[in-house]
Amino acid sequence: LEPHLEALRRELGGPAVLSVLVALIAVAITFLIWRFVQGRKSSRKAVLLLGLCDAGKTLLFARLLSGRYRDTQTSITDSSATYRLSQDKSTNVTLIDLPGHESLRLQFLERFKAAARAIVFVVDSVAFQREVKDVAEFLYQVLVDSTVLRNAPALLIACNKQDVTMAKSAKLIQQQLEKELNTLRVTRSAAPTSLDGSATGGPAQLGKKGKDFDFSQLPMKVEFVECSARGSKGEEGEADLEGLEKWLAKVA
C-alpha cells in the first residue's frame, strides 16, 4: 500500500494535498453512513401502544386521535391510524394499538416490531401493585427481543389512570419495575428466547452484568410520564395527555 500512496503523493503534488483528499473521503463515508442510519429510522413510522389488558390503551388511542371519550372493550386485534402533530400538521406517525391479552400480545408485537419508531408501554397506575409481576414479565419480553435491541426505538412508560386517587406515581412505578426486571434477569437460568425464536444471549443481555438493573442501561432512551386517558372530569372532560403528546412530538 505504501508504494501506491507514495505514487499518489507525487501525482497530487505532495502530502498536504493527499491529506486533504483522505479527509474528504472520510467525510464522504461518514455522510453516507449517517444517511443510511437516518434512512432506516425514517422508514420506521409506527408508534406501538403496548400493555396489559385494561391498562387503557384503546381509550388513550381514541383520545389522541379525536380528543373525545368513548367506551372501549378488550381488543382482540390491532387498530391503526395516522396521528398528526397539532403544532405541525405535516408531521405524522402511525399509531398502532395492540391487544394486551396474554395469548395475543406477543404475536401482534412480532408482526409490528420491525416498523416501530417508538413504543408507548401503558401501565394501569391503579392496579399496578397487584399486576407488577405481569407488567414486568411482558416488558422484559419486549426489552430482550433482538429486533427491539437492534433498532432501539424510543420507549415511554405511560403511567395511566392518574385521575384516580389510589394511582401510583411514575417514580414508584419506575422503581418497582427496575426491581422486578432485575429479579427476572437474575432468575432466568436459561437464555431467553426473543419473539423471532432466536436466543438473545442470556439474562445479562438486559442491562449491565454485575450491576442492578436500571433503565439507563438500555440501548434506547426510556422516559416515564403520568397521564389520564379518562381525565379528572370523566367522560365529559378532557384527557390529561400533555406529557405524552410532548413526547410524541419529540419522537415523530
Side-chain angles (χ1 to χ4, degrees), residues 16-218:
V17 177
L18 180 60
S19 298
V20 171
L21 181 62
V22 170
L24 289 173
I25 292 172
V27 169
I29 292 173
T30 302
F31 177 74
L32 289 173
I33 293 173
W34 178 83
R35 285 292 299 272
F36 174 74
V37 172
Q38 290 300 113
R40 286 190 60 193
K41 181 180 178 182
S42 63
S43 67
R44 301 196 305 270
K45 296 285 289 182
V47 176
L48 308 184
L49 301 182
L50 309 180
L52 304 187
C53 283
D54 300 322
K57 300 184 304 299
T58 302
L59 179 56
L60 189 116
F61 175 78
R63 285 286 209 177
L64 285 170
L65 295 173
S66 69
R68 294 190 295 271
Y69 179 91
R70 82 174 195 202
D71 291 326
T72 62
Q73 56 188 14
T74 301
S75 303
I76 59 172
T77 188
D78 60 280
S79 299
S80 63
T82 299
Y83 172 76
R84 300 186 185 279
L85 301 179
S86 57
Q87 301 90 344
D88 181 4
K89 296 296 184 181
S90 64
T91 303
N92 63 78
V93 294
T94 302
L95 286 181
I96 306 179
D97 174 27
L98 302 186
H101 194 279
E102 186 177 4
S103 64
L104 298 173
R105 59 194 181 213
L106 291 183
Q107 72 183 60
F108 277 91
L109 180 58
E110 175 69 23
R111 185 183 303 175
F112 293 105
K113 64 184 182 180
R117 172 184 292 255
I119 294 173
V120 178
F121 193 96
V122 185
V123 174
D124 183 337
S125 303
V126 179
F128 177 74
Q129 208 64 54
R130 70 172 182 269
E131 293 182 345
V132 59
K133 293 185 183 301
D134 292 333
V135 172
E137 175 70 30
F138 184 22
L139 186 56
Y140 182 90
Q141 291 172 311
V142 174
L143 294 176
V144 298
D145 178 75
S146 58
T147 300
V148 174
L149 285 170
R150 182 174 63 252
N151 292 341
L155 173 63
L156 181 74
I157 311 295
C159 305
N160 192 25
K161 304 187 182 180
Q162 289 292 319
D163 56 295
V164 181
T165 305
M166 300 300 293
K168 299 297 183 285
S169 69
K171 184 176 181 180
L172 185 144
I173 288 172
Q174 178 176 349
Q175 292 170 345
Q176 289 297 311
L177 280 178
E178 287 177 338
K179 181 180 178 181
E180 288 296 330
L181 288 168
N182 188 64
T183 300
L184 279 170
R185 180 181 65 173
V186 172
T187 55
R188 293 293 173 92
S189 55
T193 301
S194 69
L195 300 179
D196 57 14
S198 60
T200 60
Q205 184 70 56
L206 187 68
K208 295 181 179 178
K209 189 175 181 179
K211 292 187 177 182
D212 288 341
F213 172 78
D214 65 68
F215 285 102
S216 67
Q217 298 166 6
L218 295 173

